[in-house]
Amino acid sequence: LVAVTVPAVLVAGLVWLVGDRRAGGRHARRLAGVAYGIGAGACAGLAEAGVRGMALAFEDSGRDLPAVLDTPYPYLTLGLAALALGQLQVALQRCRLVIIATVLTAIGRGYLVLAGTVLFHEGWPTDPVPFALRTGGFALALAALVSFPRYERRDAADRRNGRKGRNAVRSVR
């Protein structure tokens, strides 16, 4: 449990500390939100793995709720879900929703599968077609994350804020 929890918390902490720091000044580039999506996605994926752990503990205990509360999974779920939601709230105030949500979903589902493999000893499929689908899905998700811009283009940010492009002539009064 510690082996999958520590990386998620470290990623989220690094995003809070140094991940998407906004540079100041006239020539600063606007952030796209990829780092926030990665940090929140890792925590959300592990919180979902905690839900899976609670379901397995509930089934294994003969549907005994106090036995589920004796496991670390409810606390893991609540703590990491709160961390993910806090990071998501900050990200939504600073960056575009479409990028944050896409990155968060890709990272969260990937971390859920990887954490489930480690925590619950769920092996990868051995049949060629399911193995190729899972591996191809991870490869496509990674390719999508790599292709996302880390910063918004200057002219897109200017249009959204109602300013003209950099070649526009400014009037002086």
Side-chain angles (χ1 to χ4, degrees), residues 3-173:
V4 294
T5 305
V6 169
V9 172
L10 282 177
V11 166
L14 285 174
V15 169
W16 281 109
L17 295 175
V18 295
D20 249 353
R21 286 194 177 245
R22 184 181 303 248
R26 174 178 286 191
H27 301 290
R29 295 184 291 182
R30 294 181 52 87
L31 302 173
V34 174
Y36 285 113
I38 291 172
C43 291
L46 193 52
E48 292 170 1
V51 171
R52 173 123 170 93
M54 284 190 292
L56 291 174
F58 187 70
E59 193 65 33
D60 290 345
S61 68
R63 301 181 183 264
D64 185 24
L65 187 60
V68 174
L69 294 176
D70 287 340
T71 67
Y73 296 119
Y75 313 105
L76 174 80
T77 300
L78 289 174
L80 287 171
L83 187 60
L85 287 174
Q87 214 164 25
L88 179 62
Q89 179 64 33
V90 170
L92 290 175
Q93 292 176 6
R94 296 180 179 178
C95 308
R96 290 178 180 240
L97 171 66
V98 67
I99 293 176
I100 298 165
T102 304
V103 173
L104 183 144
T105 302
I107 293 293
R109 297 312 162 264
Y111 208 85
L112 171 63
V113 170
L114 294 176
T117 301
V118 173
L119 290 175
F120 312 120
H121 308 291
E122 297 173 343
W124 281 64
T126 56
D127 294 335
V129 173
F131 179 79
L133 288 173
R134 184 175 285 187
T135 306
F138 270 102
L140 284 174
L142 183 62
L145 291 177
V146 169
S147 68
F148 267 112
R150 300 298 181 259
Y151 297 96
E152 288 187 17
R153 287 189 300 226
R154 185 80 178 160
D155 53 344
D158 288 340
R159 276 196 306 266
R160 196 174 64 243
N161 292 332
R163 288 184 250 152
K164 296 181 181 180
R166 67 179 106 154
N167 293 332
V169 177
R170 298 168 84 186
S171 63
V172 179
R173 291 184 185 192

